[in-house]
Amino acid sequence: MTTDAMSGNEPTRRGFLDLALGLLGAISAIGVVYPVGMYLWPRVDKKEGDETRSMKLPVGDVPIGEAKFVRFLNKPAVIMRPNEQEIYALSAVCTHLGCVVKWNDAGKDLFCPCHGGKFDVKGNVLGGPPPKPLPSFTAKIENEYIVVAEA
Ligand code: FES
């Protein structure tokens, strides 16, 4: 007569603990690997068939001669309407060291409060240390809405 205990197939406390520790280790490894993977290969917010990411706001939100700061693509951006015909949308992150630029209502341009950088409404550098223009987005008015999209 043979029993499981005699054949060595009986579950043991040590076997159970090894299995439990193995599962705990695997769960812990997933907890480390997943965030690292998400950091190295970030999620792209584009939907299939949607080649550009865009935002829309009522045209009245940006009166002529003024600017409005918004968040676009998860970063500060500015939309400006210097006159009836023109509209511009730029990244509001200074190309020098990354401060957020401000609207200069008197000069109808942008300035950086950190080191005195200056930009025109098209993003061109007018002065100060910024090494390159502010990145621009496309901006247009459609059916009483301002539509901003990736350039
Ligand atoms: S961060 Fe804008 S000028 Fe330095």
Side-chain angles (χ1 to χ4, degrees):
M1 172 177 148
T2 61
T3 64
D4 281 345
M6 293 172 74
S7 66
N9 291 334
E10 182 177 316
T12 63
R13 182 178 298 181
R14 180 171 183 92
F16 173 77
L17 287 175
D18 285 347
L19 179 65
L21 286 174
L23 284 173
L24 193 61
I27 291 168
S28 297
I30 290 169
V32 170
V33 169
Y34 181 75
V36 170
M38 289 304 291
Y39 176 76
L40 295 176
W41 296 281
R43 182 173 64 106
V44 176
D45 287 337
K46 288 184 181 178
K47 294 178 189 148
E48 201 168 306
D50 180 16
E51 292 303 317
T52 59
R53 290 177 287 175
S54 62
M55 69 175 295
K56 209 170 164 182
L57 65 161
V59 73
D61 282 8
V62 188
I64 292 167
E66 294 187 21
K68 181 173 180 71
F69 285 82
V70 297
R71 283 196 70 79
F72 182 56
L73 305 176
N74 288 323
K75 292 184 180 151
V78 58
I79 302 167
M80 296 155 288
R81 294 179 67 196
N83 55 51
E84 186 86 36
Q85 290 78 35
E86 294 177 285
I87 183 165
Y88 299 100
L90 303 170
S91 165
V93 179
C94 182
T95 55
H96 179 223
L97 293 177
C99 292
V100 176
V101 298
K102 306 279 183 213
W103 175 244
N104 171 22
D105 197 46
K108 302 297 181 202
D109 54 19
L110 298 161
F111 71 98
C112 180
C114 293
H115 310 104
K118 288 187 76 176
F119 303 90
D120 68 14
V121 291
K122 295 178 181 177
N124 298 313
V125 178
L126 297 176
K132 57 185 180 181
L134 295 171
S136 64
F137 308 114
T138 62
K140 58 187 173 186
I141 297 174
E142 284 180 351
N143 302 324
E144 298 301 313
Y145 283 94
I146 295 169
V147 180
V148 176
E150 287 181 288

